[in-house]
Amino acid sequence: MDCLPDLPAYAELHTISNFTFLRGASHPEELVRRAHELGYAAIAITDECSLSGLVRAHVEAQKYAIKLIIGSEFKLEDGLHLVLLASCRKSYGYLSHLITRARRRAPKGTYCLSRDDIEQYFPAGCLALWRVRVDSPVEQGRWIARVFPQAAWIAVNLGRNGCDSQLLSYASALSRQCGLPQTACGAVSLHHPCRRSLRDVLTAIHLNTPLAELGFKLPANAEQHLRPRAHIQRLYPPELIMQSVDIAARCAFSMEELRYEYPDHLVPEGYSLADWLRHLSYKGARKRWPQGLDEAVRAQIEAELKLISELHYEPYFLTVYDIVRFARSQHILCQGRGSAANSAVCYCLGITEVDPARFNLLFER
């Protein structure tokens, strides 16, 4: 591990994996593992308009006890290049919503996003990195500073391509003109330089051009890999490296916070979810057994309602009930199957036609 005590801490804030198709040449797990080996303080997985690689990255980050930052990269219609990082649960939801919106309005495999989308749906908590070039207009930076007050940085990527000094100078000028601080940023697409050949092949496929004919369309080197901290220290001013760690510290969100949240199910005023499910169950039971319920059936309904309540599954049963009711109102054939056939509640709700009192099936399945 690259953990020499005199090396400054560093967090990589812009990394794409192979879930950014035909650009990223490393798996999310490889990126996280390599960041741990290099002694990084944190690593952000920021695939382009996607959160697809995050589960794999999260599992690997838990294994190696390295901080994982959740984010995504976006290229707007006007050429503005942003990386958005989730600092809290709310901003993670924003990223998910923004990605869905961008993907749904474009053909499969592409996306479409504008500044209006960013402004319309931006909540507090999302951090923005502005990926700049030596020709990035000042107007873009001023817009970012307005939309992301105290939550935006100029991301400086020094790729040893002959333009590093010019980019540093230009980024400093932009910082003064826009009021945005700067941070070091690797724009990583490889966990190790050995993946350069694979990355070049992916580029050839992406551009539908023979590899030998790509020329300057290929990056000049393999600097898009996770670099040792000693290498980073030689490239960047110390304040830019420190800023990366400060930004990482503001990103407190973890995927550990996520739990399945069933959508709220509307019930009549005065009823709780459990009360309404009980009401519908016994209303259906009176139709199923017009002669009256025997104690065995009543006991089974009560036992099922108790277990459903303990597991907080009422919304699920009520949703399926609504679907079945609608289907039958439209003369659409439908039938509950599988473990639903074990349930007296499902039978009472009209979801199944299997009388549980006759077959004595196991509801808990």
Side-chain angles (χ1 to χ4, degrees):
M1 181 187 295
D2 178 8
C3 56
L4 298 176
D6 58 336
L7 292 175
Y10 175 69
E12 182 51 68
L13 302 174
H14 183 199
T15 305
I16 61 170
S17 74
N18 58 345
F19 282 90
T20 300
F21 299 126
L22 301 182
R23 284 183 58 208
S26 294
H27 297 283
E29 302 95 319
E30 294 174 317
L31 292 161
V32 170
R33 188 162 57 246
R34 181 62 176 159
H36 166 74
E37 292 170 356
L38 295 173
Y40 283 15
I43 181 170
I45 300 297
T46 57
D47 283 305
E48 186 173 3
C49 197
S50 174
L51 300 173
S52 300
L54 291 179
V55 172
R56 295 185 181 187
H58 172 72
V59 171
E60 201 73 2
Q62 294 290 98
K63 186 188 305 182
Y64 289 99
I66 182 172
K67 182 173 183 176
L68 176 67
I69 300 170
I70 310 302
S72 189
E73 169 193 291
F74 301 94
K75 295 174 183 175
L76 275 58
E77 294 173 322
D78 61 356
L80 182 60
H81 194 172
L82 289 176
V83 176
L84 301 184
L85 306 176
S87 67
C88 59
R89 174 65 178 83
K90 182 179 180 181
S91 55
Y92 172 79
Y94 163 69
L95 276 180
S96 301
H97 179 86
L98 196 65
I99 289 168
T100 300
R101 181 177 179 84
R103 292 288 185 184
R104 289 186 65 184
R105 62 160 57 145
K108 184 177 180 181
T110 63
Y111 67 96
C112 181
L113 203 62
S114 68
R115 292 194 196 185
D116 288 342
D117 297 317
I118 301 291
E119 292 202 52
Q120 183 177 358
Y121 293 100
F122 171 73
C126 214
L127 309 182
L129 306 181
W130 177 28
R131 283 290 316 280
V132 300
R133 303 184 306 269
V134 292
D135 58 351
S136 295
V138 176
E139 179 274 331
Q140 288 186 352
R142 288 174 176 158
W143 178 83
I144 293 168
R146 177 177 63 80
V147 176
F148 297 87
Q150 308 302 313
W153 292 260
I154 295 172
V156 181
N157 172 33
L158 303 180
R160 300 180 70 184
N161 55 9
C163 300
D164 288 354
S165 296
Q166 184 181 5
L167 181 60
L168 270 175
S169 176
Y170 188 67
S172 296
L174 286 175
S175 178
R176 292 190 297 271
Q177 292 172 305
C178 305
L180 293 174
Q182 304 172 71
T183 184
C185 177
V188 170
S189 58
L190 321 166
H191 78 287
H192 192 277
C194 67
R195 288 289 170 84
R196 178 185 179 181
S197 296
L198 175 59
R199 190 271 318 278
D200 291 350
V201 171
L202 293 174
T203 302
I205 296 171
H206 179 65
L207 298 177
N208 194 27
T209 303
L211 186 60
E213 298 177 13
L214 285 175
F216 290 112
K217 294 178 182 178
L218 288 175
N221 51 42
E223 285 294 301
Q224 298 78 34
H225 70 281
L226 291 171
R227 297 175 284 194
R229 288 188 291 145
H231 188 156
I232 293 169
Q233 185 182 32
R234 290 192 295 269
L235 280 176
Y236 288 95
E239 59 271 19
L240 269 65
I241 299 174
M242 292 173 56
Q243 192 69 252
S244 74
V245 179
D246 291 342
I247 294 170
R250 290 181 58 171
C251 297
F253 172 71
S254 167
M255 294 191 74
E256 287 291 299
E257 298 177 38
L258 299 179
R259 296 291 184 272
Y260 183 72
E261 300 173 14
Y262 201 94
D264 291 337
H265 190 100
L266 296 178
V267 298
E269 187 176 354
Y271 285 90
S272 66
L273 291 169
D275 291 341
W276 186 238
L277 180 60
R278 174 180 292 276
H279 169 79
L280 293 176
S281 297
Y282 278 103
K283 180 180 178 181
R286 289 192 291 272
K287 294 180 180 179
R288 293 295 195 182
W289 293 281
Q291 74 281 9
L293 291 176
D294 61 38
E295 287 306 311
V297 172
R298 186 181 298 276
Q300 184 171 348
I301 293 173
E302 287 297 325
E304 291 185 17
L305 289 173
K306 181 175 183 294
L307 182 57
I308 291 168
S309 179
E310 290 173 356
L311 297 175
H312 306 292
Y313 278 0
E314 293 95 344
Y316 175 75
F317 281 81
L318 291 170
T319 299
V320 175
Y321 165 75
D322 277 350
I323 292 171
V324 169
R325 185 176 59 167
F326 172 80
R328 289 183 176 154
S329 73
Q330 303 301 309
H331 307 291
I332 300 170
L333 294 176
C334 65
Q335 177 66 62
R337 59 180 296 276
S339 56
N342 307 330
S343 171
V345 169
C346 285
Y347 184 60
C348 293
L349 295 177
I351 296 169
T352 66
E353 294 300 323
V354 178
D355 184 349
R358 294 177 56 195
F359 296 97
N360 194 29
L361 298 173
L362 180 65
F363 167 73
E364 287 77 1
R365 182 169 81 88

